[in-house]
Amino acid sequence: MANTLHPSKVHFSALTLENLDGVSGIVQPVTQTQSVTLESSATMLVTDFSVSHPYTLPTGSSIAQALETMKQAGVRLLMLVNASGNFTGVVNARELIGGRRITLAMQKHQIGRDEVTAEMIQTPRSELHSLSYAKISHASVGDLVETLKSSGDQHVLITEPDGSGGSRIRGIISASNISRALGVDLNHPPEARTFSSICQVLLGHDL
């Protein structure tokens, strides 16, 4: 067994500092832009939480807090977590801005708008759809669009095993990201907002 030197007996040397004469540029990350087609790998359109920070919100947060978080993060969907850190559902910008769920929550709980919480208007986990990362890894963008064209979902969660016999959320795919990647303008025509309509815009018909 090798002997480990005590830190006090290890010799360290000061590095020689240099000035910045002749230095003017700054290294920038190389962005590799790959064109996306219906034949491309579906993984290209996954917002992967192993490399991209997921935006979450406590279930007890007010709808004002939820909307502000979206504005700050530049996203249209937040994942809700309870006090135990468990995923409970999602809340989207459409519901926060003018959805009827807020009105229903106010009526049901007999409260004012400022008392409505994100949990009260969430789309619960039981109503959400998902695809496993393993399936996505062997699928194309066209497969993804075909699979989801009839659901009308704006977002689909991607899952993977959590190592304890359960699953965890690995990432998310949104209709808006697919539209952007395929070059479909969400506002022209305005109905190009779902996976199904993306197919219609691109191909002139459903897949």
Side-chain angles (χ1 to χ4, degrees):
M1 183 175 180
N3 293 326
T4 302
L5 292 177
H6 189 277
S8 64
K9 299 183 183 299
V10 177
H11 178 69
F12 297 103
S13 299
L15 303 178
T16 302
L17 296 174
E18 301 174 1
N19 60 41
L20 292 174
D21 291 344
V23 176
S24 59
I26 301 175
V27 173
Q28 300 289 342
V30 177
T31 302
Q32 296 182 338
T33 55
Q34 295 177 279
S35 59
V36 177
T37 68
L38 292 174
E39 289 74 35
S40 300
S41 170
T43 58
M44 292 178 65
L45 297 180
V46 177
T47 299
D48 192 340
F49 295 155
S50 68
V51 296
S52 178
H53 180 70
Y55 292 100
T56 62
L57 192 74
T59 52
S61 300
S62 69
I63 57 175
Q65 291 172 320
L67 190 56
E68 183 60 28
T69 300
M70 285 186 183
K71 289 179 179 178
Q72 294 292 330
V75 297
R76 296 183 58 82
L77 178 138
L78 296 173
M79 308 225 271
L80 300 185
V81 292
N82 60 21
S84 300
N86 296 321
F87 170 68
T88 66
V90 301
V91 62
N92 63 56
R94 185 175 63 252
E95 292 295 347
L96 286 173
I97 294 172
R100 61 191 300 267
R101 290 191 184 188
I102 294 178
T103 301
L104 292 176
M106 292 169 61
Q107 294 173 347
K108 177 180 179 180
H109 299 282
Q110 294 294 298
I111 57 177
R113 184 183 179 88
D114 60 346
E115 298 176 275
V116 177
T117 67
E119 183 177 27
M120 295 176 185
I121 65 167
Q122 73 175 345
T123 300
R125 184 179 61 184
S126 60
E127 296 179 13
L128 296 170
H129 299 120
S130 69
L131 291 167
S132 70
Y133 194 84
K135 285 184 179 179
I136 289 294
S137 298
H138 297 92
S140 67
V141 171
D143 293 330
L144 178 65
V145 174
E146 167 122 8
T147 301
L148 303 174
K149 68 178 183 178
S150 62
S151 71
D153 290 340
Q154 290 296 303
H155 300 85
V156 175
L157 299 173
I158 307 303
T159 61
E160 68 175 9
D162 63 5
S164 302
S167 297
R168 62 184 178 184
I169 297 172
R170 166 72 179 268
I172 191 169
I173 293 177
S174 71
S176 60
N177 282 350
I178 291 180
S179 298
R180 194 176 304 113
L182 293 175
V184 177
D185 191 323
L186 286 176
N187 296 312
H188 302 285
E191 69 273 11
R193 297 177 182 274
T194 64
F195 291 102
S196 178
S197 56
I198 288 170
C199 279
Q200 293 174 333
V201 171
L202 283 174
L203 307 176
H205 56 77
D206 282 345
L207 283 180

